[in-house]
Amino acid sequence: MLAGLGLGGGVRYTGGNYGDLSNSQKAPSYTLIDTSVHYELGAATCWQACVTTGERQFRQASSTGIVY
């Protein structure tokens, strides 16, 4: 394995819920799958994160920042 390389992930489930007081508008349940990878470069860290639902995938742009 490469020194400074890190991986992460998780699963989040949210059950269906109602959007109004009379319980007439129901939002469906959903599951999110999170993945991430990062690589430490001395004082800076580069990372990429991704969240996937059943039909869509969202990516957060790669970033480099100083870690204190």
Side-chain angles (χ1 to χ4, degrees):
M1 194 93 179
L2 296 172
L5 179 66
L7 304 172
V11 177
R12 295 179 280 162
Y13 173 79
T14 300
N17 56 58
Y18 293 95
D20 61 356
L21 294 175
S22 64
N23 291 340
S24 63
Q25 297 178 353
K26 184 170 184 182
S29 62
Y30 59 92
T31 302
L32 299 175
I33 301 169
D34 304 314
T35 58
S36 67
V37 61
H38 70 270
Y39 188 74
E40 296 180 16
L41 301 168
T45 300
C46 298
W47 57 271
Q48 175 75 43
C50 180
V51 176
T52 304
T53 63
E55 301 172 356
R56 296 181 179 173
Q57 187 176 68
F58 305 92
R59 290 190 182 144
Q60 193 160 9
S62 298
S63 177
T64 302
I66 302 300
V67 178
Y68 295 98

